[in-house]
Structures are given as C-alpha cells and as structure tokens.
Amino acid sequence: MTTASVDAAGPVPVRVVLPADPLLWHPEQGVVARLWRRRQTETGWVYLVGLPSYRDLEDGGVEAAEYRVWVRAPDHMRPVDGVDYDQVPTEPLPPAPRKSVVREVLGKRRPSGWVLAKVREGRGPARAVLHAPDCGRHPRARRCSMCSAPLDVAENPGTQLCTLCGCAQELTPLLHGSDHITDS
C-alpha cells in the first residue's frame, strides 16, 4: 500500500462508515472520503469529511461534487492503511478557564453596598436596620433603599447593624476605630 502524500493544507483519505443497510452493503463497509480537519468537542472528536457526490447543472448535466459534513469519530470513521494523519489540521478542546484560588476559598462574591430597611415609620425617631444586599433577614416587602453613606446612617442611634449578614462586624471597627479593642 502506498502512503498518501498531501501537504498540510490538503485533505487526506479516510473511510467513512455508512449507516447499516443489509440489502445494500455490509455495516463495516464505507466510502473513502477526504478528511479536511479534526475538532475536539466536550463529547469527543468530530471530523470534517468531504464525501463524493454529484451535482445537477443548470443545463441539465451532472458533475462530480463533494458534500462536506462533520461526523463522529471513531463511530463513523476508519483510517485508511498507510495514510499519515499527523498533518491534518486539528483543533483541540480549548483549556477550561482557571478558577481563581481566592474565589475557590472564599466562594461567590457578595454584592457590594448596603441596604437600609425601615422598621418603623411615622412620628418619633426613625428605626432602621442596615443589611448587606444579599441578607436573608432584610424584609423585601418593606421599604428598602440602597444606602449611599453607610457610615453616616450607621452612626444614627436609631439604626441597628444586622449581625446575620456581617454588617455589624464590618462597620463597627470603622465607626469606633480601635477604641473597642482591649488588651487581654
């Protein structure tokens, strides 16, 4: 058998296994087609092959043509003896994006900002609770607004800082500086 000599830009022969039809051919028989390129996908390799075909001409004639289609390998492909497939243009699966080690350890990032939930409205000192936007305790049914100056709001005696979402743990050191730290 001879080795097909094809430059890197040209196709190489490959056997395409056709669907089984016992009346017409044996299931392992196939058609020698031209292999144009290979591509790795999430589910395996696919090959772009050119199958021999015919095309009708406008003048009523018929001419030889090629029908190109992607087929699964190795289910529908068999190598032709003596053919070197190393020169076939190959598209490997791109590497998966690396996940940041910081994101792996800390998890999903919390939305930025703070939400002020009004607890009581009307006369008297306003009562409110400052929450993180993703806090499960802030009442979505009541009037809430994004807080543009969380430290100013947190200094108000009528405002509580939520301990569930970490608002109190994050803002208390900013409000009181280091005066809450004691030597033990």
Side-chain angles (χ1 to χ4, degrees):
M1 305 216 172
T2 60
T3 302
S5 172
V6 179
D7 63 9
V12 295
V14 68
R15 185 167 307 278
V16 177
V17 178
L18 300 173
D21 187 343
L23 297 177
L24 298 176
W25 56 78
H26 185 273
E28 284 301 310
Q29 284 182 325
V31 175
V32 175
R34 299 182 338 158
L35 175 59
W36 287 95
R37 62 186 323 101
R38 301 180 282 198
R39 178 180 295 156
Q40 188 178 18
T41 67
E42 295 284 335
T43 58
W45 286 89
V46 291
Y47 286 41
L48 179 62
V49 297
L51 295 165
S53 180
Y54 291 99
R55 171 178 35 222
D56 291 331
L57 298 174
E58 289 183 17
D59 66 2
V62 177
E63 72 176 356
E66 181 178 75
Y67 174 71
R68 290 191 186 177
V69 63
W70 289 96
V71 294
R72 290 235 163 262
D75 302 341
H76 306 289
M77 306 294 303
R78 300 292 180 270
V80 172
D81 290 337
V83 177
D84 179 21
Y85 293 101
D86 291 339
Q87 301 306 315
V88 176
T90 303
E91 301 170 24
L93 191 63
R98 263 188 63 171
K99 193 172 183 181
S100 165
V101 175
V102 172
R103 285 290 142 239
E104 284 182 34
V105 172
L106 297 179
K108 187 178 175 185
R109 190 173 182 178
R110 183 173 88 188
S112 62
W114 301 101
V115 176
L116 184 63
K118 300 281 185 177
V119 175
R120 189 180 114 207
E121 295 182 30
R123 292 188 172 160
R127 292 218 37 230
V129 180
L130 199 58
H131 299 274
D134 60 346
C135 180
R137 271 184 63 193
H138 88 66
R140 302 205 188 288
R142 297 195 184 157
R143 200 172 93 209
C144 297
S145 60
M146 286 301 288
C147 186
S148 59
L151 292 177
D152 292 341
V153 172
E155 285 179 329
N156 183 335
T159 302
Q160 292 180 331
L161 305 179
C162 180
T163 56
L164 180 68
C165 64
C167 178
Q169 292 86 343
E170 289 185 44
L171 294 182
T172 300
L174 297 174
L175 290 171
H176 302 290
S178 59
D179 63 354
H180 70 284
I181 301 173
T182 58
D183 292 332
S184 20

